[in-house]
């Protein structure tokens, strides 16, 4: 997993609520057996019309907006547990998603792939989205160590589990940790059988 | 302070607790399928880590499988490759696989209960968000991502924050024509799609106590649609009776001693929940969804609400519905009865009870997709197959099918489908398709009438 410490970037505003993982990566693209290439199809059915032509109205196709931070509406990542959604966002180049609420499974999947979900208040999100829309070049700064998001509409101290934070900063994942606990796990198994 | 059902099962599986509160949770049963497992197998291969407990894993092929001609090689190359890879991974690691054509094959959340693999007090996971289904047995069961599939492969454990506790109580008697699907659609329409996020939900009250196991599975299945990682119902005589005698259920004295333990799995009277809701069964009527998330549900006789909200309006625009309008008499050209929510024998029995002696409407294409080979056999043995075929329905072979449309079972662009599945997201059943979630009874009535009708009038 790639390490994450700090980030400075412009952001892409996607002011839609309840964005489910079927929108992030439609099921017909889940036939791959590796993690590569999902970025090409992120938000596929919003980026392209059914005939394959580009949907100029969708924000990812608007050259005004670019960057590795996605700012999205409430309840981002609901629905299917497909980790392909996190692979698709990371594959496209996103490193941070900001929303006022994240679905549980998506949040875990994001953290397991070095994609930082930052939860802010409804009001902060509203202000941030409207500022970015009017100022596409606005720079946001993320400091994971200090758990601070700096924006032109104010700073936001975000929460993250201390263990998960250490993992992101060092590029570790839970497999390394759990394998280090195998003796304890074996002892537990012996105790329940 | 007393413990909840959830506490009792969770606490019995904690291997270790870290300083910051994260816990190492032991997993009793790991279900896998072709779509969310290949990258996890690859991860372990790359790191040269063996699979800790292959004996605690069960595999099936369901998400990306055809529902016709399953005896022939799968036509789509990517799908065939994914299925072959599952078979190869299972063979290499000594994992039992119920692949296409096997008598135990079917949707992962249908086969595990019907084989007696799902048992009260267990912890179960699967790379699929509808793993919550198994909570119907008083099981802690939840969906996980592929990284977590790899973690369970490597250690038979997960590192988790214990969720908060939520209880939804529904008491009273359900009206005629109101099915378990209506109960859960009603609950989600009242609480919203993220009310359960961060929680594990227990369903309690006389409505669930009086429900069959299959009905309880339908309810727990959709817990994730209100954001809850899982839902649970305390095991009781209905549960024990369902499990008894199934292939992998404990037998003889072992069964009796298990039952004695399972009986302790209920919430203590003085246990406290972080959040609790109460509903009256009498308020529930047959439901249908009109929007693009499962919380956008109304009673069939109600009108679409009039909200001033951009996301709400985007949703209605996609569905081509108007605020304040009624869905009654809306023409429907597709009906799908299937998915891990509603593809068990009781679902087909209730659908057949409406269909018997009638013909589907000319405009309707109606697909029935049994949840498993065993359900397919029951449909045949009970004579339901004849009823459906005489009415003009197409009975397919088992699988997830048009619930997520990974295979060829897709609803065409712009078409409405009344579906017994769990998600009405944009394009869920095919690009541009429009899904209306409902019970198997409402779906059957829609197929016969060719439009949405108030089934309570019959």
């Amino acid at each position: 997993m790639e390490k994450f410490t700090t980030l400075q970037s412009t952001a892409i505003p996607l002011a839609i609520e309840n964005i489910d993982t079927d929108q992030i990566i439609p099921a017909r693209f889940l036939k791959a057996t590796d993690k590569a290439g999902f970025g090409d199809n992120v938000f596929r059915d919003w980026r392209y019309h059914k005939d394959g032509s580009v949907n100029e109205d969708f924000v990812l196709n608007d050259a005004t907006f670019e960057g590795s931070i996605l700012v999205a509406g409430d309840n981002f990542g609901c629905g299917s547990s497909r980790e392909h959604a996190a692979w698709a966002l990371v594959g496209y180049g996103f490193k941070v998603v900001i929303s006022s609420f994240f679905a549980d499974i998506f949040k875990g999947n994001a953290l397991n792939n070095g994609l930082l979900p930052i939860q802010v208040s409804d009001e902060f999100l509203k202000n941030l989205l409207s500022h970015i829309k009017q100022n596409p070049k606005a720079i946001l700064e993320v400091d994971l160590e200090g758990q601070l998001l700096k924006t032109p509409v104010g700073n936001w101290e975000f929460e993250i589990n201390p263990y998960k934070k250490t993992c992101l900063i060092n590029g570790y994942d839970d497999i390394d940790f759990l394998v280090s606990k195998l003796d304890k796990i074996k002892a537990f198994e012996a105790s329940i059988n | 302070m007393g413990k909840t059902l959830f506490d009792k099962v969770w606490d019995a599986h904690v291997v270790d607790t870290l300083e910051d509160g994260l816990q190492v949770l032991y997993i009793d049963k790991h279900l896998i399928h072709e779509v969310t497992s290949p990258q996890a197998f690859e991860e372990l291969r790359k790191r040269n880590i063996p699979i800790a407990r292959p004996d605690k894993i069960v595999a099936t092929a369901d998400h990306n499988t055809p529902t016709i001609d399953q005896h022939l090689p799968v036509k789509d190359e990517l799908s065939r490759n994914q299925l072959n890879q599952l078979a190869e991974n299972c063979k290499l690691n000594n994992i039992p696989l119920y692949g296409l054509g096997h008598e135990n094959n079917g949707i992962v959340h249908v086969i595990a209960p019907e084989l007696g693999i799902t048992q009260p007090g267990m912890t179960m996971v699967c790379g699929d968000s509808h793993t919550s289904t198994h909570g119907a047995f008083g099981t802690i069961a939840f969906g996980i991502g592929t990284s977590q599939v790899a973690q369970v492969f490597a250690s038979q454990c997960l590192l988790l924050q214990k969720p908060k506790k939520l209880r939804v109580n529904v008491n009273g008697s359900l009206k005629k024509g109101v099915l378990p699907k209506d109960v859960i659609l009603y609950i989600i329409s009242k609480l919203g799609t993220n009310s359960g996020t961060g929680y594990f939900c227990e369903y309690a009250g006389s409505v669930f106590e009086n429900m069959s196991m299959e009905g309880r599975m339908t309810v727990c299945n959709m817990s994730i649609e209100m954001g809850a990682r899982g839902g649970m119902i305390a095991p009781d005589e209905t549960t024990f009776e369902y499990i008894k005698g199934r292939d992998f259920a404990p037998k003889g004295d072992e069964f009796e001693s298990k039952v004695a333990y399972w009986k302790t799995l209920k919430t203590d009277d003085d246990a406290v929940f972080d959040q609790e809701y109460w509903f009256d069964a009498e308020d529930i009527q047959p439901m249908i969804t009109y929007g693009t998330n499962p919380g956008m549900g109304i009673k069939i006789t109600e009108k679409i609400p009039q909200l001033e909200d951009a996301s709400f309006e985007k949703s209605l625009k996609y569905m081509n519905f108007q605020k304040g309008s009624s869905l009654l008499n809306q023409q429907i050209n597709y009906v799908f009865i299937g998915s891990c929510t509603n593809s068990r024998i009781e679902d087909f029995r209730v659908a057949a009870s409406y269909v018997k002696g009638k013909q589907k409407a000319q405009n309707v294409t109606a697909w029935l997709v049994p949840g498993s080979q065993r359900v397919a056999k029951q449909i045949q043995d009970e004579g339901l197959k004849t009823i459906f075929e005489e009415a003009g329905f197409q009975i397919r072979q088992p699988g997830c099918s048009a619930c997520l449309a990974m295979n060829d079972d897709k609803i065409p662009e712009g078409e409405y489908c009344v579906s017994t599945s769990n998600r009405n997201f944009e394009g869920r059943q095919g690009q541009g398709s429009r899904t209306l979630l409902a019970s198997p009874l409402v779906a059957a009535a829609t197929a016969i009438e060719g439009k949405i009708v108030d089934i309570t009038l019959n």
Side-chain angles (χ1 to χ4, degrees):
Chain A
M1 195 170 80
E2 259 188 62
K3 295 178 184 180
F4 188 109
T5 47
T6 58
L7 177 72
Q8 283 195 352
S9 174
T10 50
I12 299 178
L14 184 53
I16 298 168
E17 293 176 8
N18 298 309
I19 295 176
D20 57 77
T21 52
D22 273 81
Q23 306 317 313
I24 301 172
I25 184 85
R28 63 184 186 281
F29 298 113
L30 308 186
K31 295 180 181 182
T33 53
D34 59 19
K35 298 179 188 177
F38 288 104
D40 295 343
N41 294 315
V42 73
F43 295 114
R44 175 79 196 197
D45 294 343
W46 288 353
R47 278 163 72 198
Y48 300 95
H49 297 298
K50 204 178 174 191
D51 62 9
S53 61
V54 171
N55 175 9
E56 303 288 354
D57 295 338
F58 186 57
V59 68
L60 290 194
N61 296 325
D62 182 345
T64 320
F65 297 102
E66 55 181 10
S68 50
I69 300 176
L70 180 68
V71 186
D74 194 55
N75 199 25
F76 186 81
C78 57
S80 160
S81 60
R82 62 188 68 165
E83 195 159 316
H84 312 66
W87 301 334
L89 290 165
V90 171
Y92 188 79
F94 290 115
K95 292 183 162 59
V96 170
V97 185
I98 299 170
S99 177
S100 51
F101 201 89
F102 290 94
D104 274 339
I105 305 179
F106 173 79
K107 192 172 169 181
N109 288 342
L111 288 166
N112 283 332
N113 287 280
L115 176 67
L116 177 65
I118 296 180
Q119 187 168 336
V120 298
S121 70
D122 288 329
E123 199 193 345
F124 190 92
L125 181 72
K126 203 173 137 195
N127 292 338
L128 184 59
L129 280 168
S130 85
H131 184 88
I132 296 168
K133 279 181 199 167
Q134 285 158 23
N135 306 276
K137 300 295 166 210
I139 300 280
L140 313 191
E141 276 184 65
V142 179
D143 168 17
L144 177 55
E145 183 60 53
Q147 296 181 216
L148 189 66
L149 167 67
K150 290 187 194 168
T151 81
V153 299
N155 294 348
W156 184 269
E157 287 181 37
F158 61 88
E159 287 183 22
I160 182 167
N161 176 277
Y163 163 82
K164 281 291 174 193
K165 179 171 153 182
T166 308
C167 283
L168 279 178
I169 290 172
N170 297 296
Y172 299 157
D173 66 23
D174 292 356
I175 296 183
D176 304 322
F177 177 83
L178 287 165
V179 167
S180 77
K181 290 275 174 189
L182 275 177
D183 286 347
K184 222 164 189 171
I185 295 167
K186 296 259 178 276
F188 178 85
E189 280 181 330
S191 76
I192 55 170
N193 287 329
Chain B
M1 193 172 70
K3 283 184 164 193
T4 65
L5 162 63
F6 174 73
D7 289 328
K8 289 179 185 182
V9 181
W10 179 280
D11 294 350
H13 289 84
V14 174
V15 174
D16 200 7
T17 301
L18 277 61
E19 277 172 27
D20 60 9
L22 285 177
Q23 294 186 305
V24 177
L25 191 78
Y26 191 78
I27 303 303
D28 292 319
K29 207 46 98 175
H30 186 188
L31 309 172
I32 63 169
H33 61 83
E34 73 277 23
V35 176
T36 57
S37 67
Q39 294 87 351
F41 279 111
E42 179 56 25
E43 193 67 39
L44 262 69
R45 246 192 313 267
K46 241 168 46 190
R47 299 180 189 215
N48 205 17
I49 298 172
I51 294 202
R53 292 295 299 266
D55 57 318
K56 288 184 178 280
I57 308 173
V58 175
T60 187
D62 58 359
H63 278 65
N64 190 11
T65 54
T67 56
I68 47 171
D69 293 336
Q70 288 186 351
H71 62 291
L72 297 176
V74 174
K75 280 186 199 155
D76 180 78
E77 191 187 340
L78 287 174
S79 306
R80 192 171 63 241
N81 178 44
Q82 203 170 45
L83 292 164
N84 288 343
Q85 192 142 346
L86 177 71
E88 198 177 307
N89 283 329
C90 288
K91 197 175 168 198
L92 280 171
N93 293 288
N94 292 318
I95 295 166
L97 165 66
Y98 303 132
L100 273 190
H102 192 286
E103 61 174 350
N104 293 343
N105 175 258
I107 304 175
V108 62
H109 310 309
V110 175
I111 65 164
E114 81 182 359
L115 292 172
I117 292 168
T118 305
Q119 294 167 24
M122 278 184 168
T123 48
M124 295 177 77
V125 294
C126 174
D128 185 281
S129 61
H130 294 110
T131 308
S132 57
T133 310
H134 308 270
F137 292 78
T139 306
I140 289 184
F142 53 93
I144 56 177
T146 297
S147 293
Q148 291 177 306
V149 172
Q151 292 158 27
V152 182
F153 280 166
S155 68
Q156 203 55 33
C157 286
L158 285 171
L159 187 60
L160 299 164
Q161 184 86 50
K162 187 176 179 180
K164 290 183 285 184
K165 289 162 288 184
L166 159 73
R167 182 160 63 183
V168 174
N169 304 276
V170 188
N171 285 293
S173 303
L174 291 176
K175 289 180 179 163
K176 188 168 169 275
V178 175
L179 301 189
K181 181 66 164 286
D182 300 306
V183 174
I184 189 64
L185 283 174
Y186 177 81
I187 292 170
I188 301 168
S189 77
K190 291 293 171 194
L191 300 182
T193 49
N194 64 7
S195 56
T197 307
Y199 294 91
F200 227 86
C201 178
E202 179 176 342
Y203 301 95
S206 59
V207 162
F208 305 109
E209 287 162 17
N210 295 329
M211 218 175 248
S212 70
M213 285 315 294
E214 299 198 354
R216 293 178 191 182
M217 284 188 246
T218 299
V219 169
C220 289
N221 173 277
M222 290 192 70
S223 302
I224 186 68
E225 310 311 336
M226 58 176 178
R229 200 79 182 258
M232 301 176 89
I233 293 172
D236 58 11
E237 290 302 328
T238 307
T239 321
F240 313 145
E241 197 51 45
Y242 178 95
I243 295 170
K244 197 174 185 176
R246 290 187 186 264
D247 300 47
F248 293 93
K251 307 274 167 5
D253 289 348
E254 197 199 343
F255 181 78
E256 295 310 322
S257 81
K258 284 277 188 192
V259 168
Y261 167 60
W262 294 343
K263 283 182 176 170
T264 68
L265 298 176
K266 54 186 172 196
T267 294
D268 296 330
D269 290 341
D270 57 343
V272 178
F273 288 82
D274 300 290
Q275 183 67 259
E276 190 150 16
Y277 301 100
W278 287 266
F279 297 104
D280 290 328
E282 285 78 7
D283 292 337
I284 308 176
Q285 286 179 30
M287 299 285 293
I288 195 148
T289 64
Y290 59 87
T292 56
N293 73 58
M296 300 174 84
I298 47 174
K299 294 167 184 169
I300 282 189
T301 52
E302 276 179 328
K303 292 195 166 113
I304 293 173
Q306 312 209 32
L307 303 179
E308 299 300 324
D309 173 277
S311 295
F312 179 83
E313 283 161 4
K314 178 180 185 297
S315 184
L316 284 198
K317 189 177 169 207
Y318 180 85
M319 294 299 290
N320 197 23
F321 287 146
Q322 311 302 320
K323 292 180 191 178
S325 66
S326 166
L327 291 177
L328 287 175
N329 296 317
Q330 169 69 49
Q331 185 182 322
I332 301 291
N333 296 336
Y334 286 83
V335 168
F336 171 63
I337 302 183
S339 87
C340 58
T341 314
N342 284 118
S343 65
R344 299 176 183 85
I345 190 63
E346 287 177 12
D347 300 317
F348 294 104
R349 282 182 195 144
V350 75
S353 72
Y354 190 97
V355 170
K356 192 171 185 177
K358 302 189 182 88
Q359 281 292 315
K360 73 161 182 71
Q362 286 282 340
N363 59 304
V364 170
T365 300
W367 291 333
L368 272 71
V369 183
S372 69
Q373 290 286 353
R374 292 186 182 213
V375 173
K377 187 168 183 308
Q378 280 175 297
I379 289 174
Q380 171 127 18
D381 292 349
E382 294 186 14
L384 309 184
K385 191 173 181 200
T386 316
I387 294 173
F388 287 124
E389 285 180 347
E390 284 177 358
F393 287 63
Q394 295 177 38
I395 301 188
R396 300 289 189 107
Q397 290 172 298
C400 299
S401 181
C403 172
L404 82 167
M406 264 194 88
N407 64 4
D408 290 339
D409 304 351
K410 297 184 201 305
I411 308 303
E413 186 171 20
E415 290 286 356
Y416 293 109
C417 176
V418 168
S419 174
T420 66
S421 55
N422 39 57
R423 288 184 173 139
N424 49 356
F425 298 152
E426 284 184 28
R428 171 81 178 181
Q429 298 193 285
Q431 258 183 294
S433 64
R434 296 167 171 151
T435 303
L436 293 82
L437 303 175
S439 78
L441 186 57
V442 169
T446 306
I448 298 298
E449 310 300 337
K451 59 184 184 178
I452 296 171
V453 293
D454 178 8
I455 55 164
T456 61
L457 294 178
N458 291 320

